Amino acid sequence: MFISHSTREDPYGSEVRGHVIHGLRDRGYEVLVDAEGLLPGEKWHPRLYEWLLECRAAVVLVNRAALTSSWVHREVDILMWRLHFNHSFLVLPAPIGDVTPEDMAAAGFEDLMSLQLVRRIAAAEKDAVPDAAEAAEGIVRAFPPLPAPMDEDDPVQRWAEDITAQLSQVRTMSRLARMGRALGLHDRHLAGSPVTDVSCGFLAAQMLHTHDASRLRNAVGEVARHMDSTALDQLVRLVLPVWIDAASARRVLPEEGMERQTTVLNVRNPDTGQYYLGRAFCMDGSRYCCIAVSAPPPGEEDPEDELRLACEQHIRSRFGMNSREPLAGAPRLQDCDTYIVIDAEHCTLPQAERVVEWLHEHIPWVHILLIPDEQLADDCALPGLLSEANLLTPPFGADDERVAIRVAYGMLNDWGIPHISDELWMSRINRSNVRG
């Protein structure tokens, strides 16, 4: 059981946390909490990443400090990520003190609001906070019995395990330590028990955090010469999407029960859309199918017709369909979400909207990531069916995106990993320069 909190400077919150810990342990839970398991005086510690990946359930204590804590938001991102793929995973949001559901929504905890919140215990007097022991008892009582071991596949855990497997080829501990430093870890995180030997799993957990693309490349570069080409190839492909912000990437995941979802992604390069999906689905290709579509540069033909034709050709090619089969016959893959990433660089937004409408008329269950021809304002009024779409503006700028894409191509080519031809690589970079 993991406890997410920000109560170090909150005596009341600390007292509630202490009672919750004792109450959960009395019910048979093994409780993971940084106040007990980490070095004194540290506000955070990389081992939290491992706990977030290992735990089977979590309580999020939401006090005033947690509302603005970047670390609590980061922990919630990972917890909700795991919950999306694994319904036997349990997350219990618990507002404490005078925090209200409205406060949580205003602070950006919309995902937590979709879960059943612990009902706050009423205080004895108006405008007072409830007794800490009573508040904690309400939280412990609200948690269901200890769940059985999860039998569902957890892609977040599996992603970390896959990265660990590739890093295990590196036998030189000093190189793993240098990799950790390149990821921004302090020496005290690399030398203290139980990571004296700088475990590969420890480093793998750190790599799932959002990293600057250049820092990520430097980290992989520290171990590149200590791995065979196959393991290095796999490692690079596994970690490439982590330059995409994790919380932002989760917004492209379809909501439960939603047959299809359209997202207008405010980015410059179509490859970024594919990185978004890789990040969101934890590089688990069995869970999603990505069909990337871009129309040729404008010529004599109508750009809308060209984009529609390109969509049809790519869909038929992906599913092995001949020209005589109706597009509506495209097979729906079981337990797999199909996304079409559309680069509408040469179309206006109304033209792109009509292509999206045409696609959904023929294949109503397909998800779409639409990259518009120009950056859109967050309050932009989208035409037609796109008015119901998510407008997603990433927390990075065009310059950051351009650098990240170049670094990604460099990682795939500088170490001799077969990927794309130099000619195609340069053409994509030049194209990115034109768009940026």
Side-chain angles (χ1 to χ4, degrees):
M1 164 73 71
F2 181 82
I3 298 183
S4 175
H5 69 98
S6 180
T7 59
R8 290 182 185 275
E9 307 299 328
D10 177 1
Y12 174 78
S14 296
E15 189 176 356
V16 172
R17 184 195 68 213
H19 286 297
V20 169
I21 292 171
H22 291 302
L24 290 172
R25 283 177 176 160
D26 287 344
R27 295 188 63 183
Y29 287 97
E30 176 187 355
V31 180
L32 302 173
V33 59
D34 61 350
E36 298 181 345
L38 304 181
L39 299 178
E42 289 188 311
K43 294 184 178 179
W44 66 275
H45 190 288
R47 182 147 304 279
L48 288 177
Y49 282 109
E50 291 187 313
W51 289 353
L52 285 164
L53 297 176
E54 293 169 359
C55 66
R56 290 163 47 195
V59 172
V60 183
L61 300 180
V62 188
N63 60 346
R64 286 287 163 188
L67 294 175
T68 57
S69 168
S70 60
W71 187 252
V72 171
H73 278 267
R74 188 180 301 173
E75 290 172 345
V76 168
D77 284 338
I78 295 177
L79 294 173
M80 295 302 294
W81 206 5
R82 292 188 61 194
L83 178 64
H84 178 88
F85 292 111
N86 197 325
H87 297 300
S88 65
F89 186 74
L90 299 174
V91 178
L92 184 70
I96 60 176
D98 61 351
V99 172
T100 66
E102 292 74 21
D103 294 330
M104 293 176 60
F109 284 119
E110 293 90 349
D111 285 347
L112 285 181
M113 300 299 295
S114 66
L115 305 177
Q116 182 66 44
L117 299 180
V118 175
R119 181 175 299 177
R120 295 192 303 132
I121 304 297
E125 299 181 8
K126 185 179 180 181
D127 298 328
V129 295
D131 177 75
E134 292 183 7
E137 182 182 356
I139 295 170
V140 173
R141 189 171 57 246
F143 213 89
L146 187 69
M150 292 182 291
D151 55 4
E152 296 183 60
D153 185 25
D154 189 322
V156 184
Q157 284 184 326
R158 192 164 75 175
W159 193 9
E161 290 169 357
D162 287 344
I163 295 173
T164 301
Q166 310 314 318
L167 288 176
S168 64
Q169 270 211 359
V170 182
R171 306 298 184 185
T172 307
M173 292 299 107
S174 62
R175 278 292 170 177
L176 290 174
R178 291 179 66 160
M179 182 183 199
R181 294 186 192 101
L183 289 172
L185 301 180
H186 192 278
D187 280 347
R188 68 176 179 272
H189 301 144
L190 302 172
S193 177
V195 290
T196 304
D197 61 349
V198 195
S199 75
C200 297
F202 176 75
L203 289 176
Q206 314 316 309
M207 298 194 84
L208 296 189
H209 175 48
T210 304
H211 290 289
D212 171 85
S214 297
R215 169 174 283 183
L216 183 67
R217 186 189 189 286
N218 292 339
V220 175
E222 292 290 354
V223 297
R225 296 185 182 278
H226 294 254
M227 306 174 68
D228 65 40
S229 59
T230 301
L232 178 59
D233 181 10
Q234 289 300 313
L235 176 64
V236 168
R237 296 183 190 280
L238 284 168
V239 304
L240 275 181
V242 300
W243 68 270
I244 298 291
D245 177 75
S248 181
R250 282 197 303 108
R251 291 184 58 192
V252 306
L253 292 172
E255 297 181 15
E256 186 175 0
M258 182 176 289
E259 184 180 42
R260 68 188 186 207
Q261 178 171 287
T262 299
T263 301
V264 179
L265 186 59
N266 250 339
V267 298
R268 307 298 296 172
N269 194 301
D271 288 352
T272 304
Q274 297 183 60
Y275 286 127
Y276 253 85
L277 291 176
R279 176 64 147 159
F281 284 93
C282 309
M283 293 303 289
D284 186 348
S286 68
R287 294 181 182 271
Y288 76 103
C289 167
C290 175
I291 303 174
V293 179
S294 59
E300 295 182 0
E301 302 295 331
D302 180 82
E304 181 181 333
D305 291 339
E306 288 290 292
L307 184 58
R308 185 182 290 108
L309 177 61
C311 287
E312 181 172 357
Q313 290 175 337
H314 281 79
I315 292 170
R316 291 186 183 281
S317 175
R318 178 63 178 81
F319 293 119
M321 302 171 63
N322 61 48
S323 58
R324 297 183 299 277
E325 296 178 86
L327 201 60
R332 187 170 188 174
L333 305 178
Q334 185 175 4
D335 299 323
C336 180
D337 292 299
T338 298
Y339 281 79
I340 301 180
V341 180
I342 301 177
D343 176 17
E345 179 181 5
H346 306 302
C347 289
T348 65
L349 201 55
Q351 289 174 327
E353 185 273 334
R354 289 192 290 270
V355 172
V356 170
E357 182 180 15
W358 170 81
L359 276 170
H360 279 156
E361 286 176 356
H362 289 80
I363 313 176
W365 43 263
V366 75
H367 305 293
I368 293 176
L369 275 184
L370 176 65
I371 300 176
D373 63 326
E374 59 183 3
Q375 290 287 101
L376 304 176
D378 289 338
D379 58 354
C380 174
L382 299 176
L385 289 179
L386 293 183
S387 62
E388 302 174 0
N390 297 325
L391 178 56
L392 176 53
T393 299
F396 52 78
D399 289 341
D400 298 318
E401 180 185 6
R402 186 183 303 110
V403 169
I405 293 295
R406 290 180 176 179
V407 169
Y409 286 140
M411 290 176 69
L412 288 165
N413 286 270
D414 289 355
W415 291 308
I417 303 172
H419 177 52
I420 57 176
S421 68
D422 290 342
E423 182 179 353
L424 181 55
W425 179 24
M426 291 308 300
S427 70
R428 287 190 175 184
I429 289 179
N430 291 335
R431 177 178 165 191
S432 176
N433 289 337
V434 170
R435 295 196 69 175

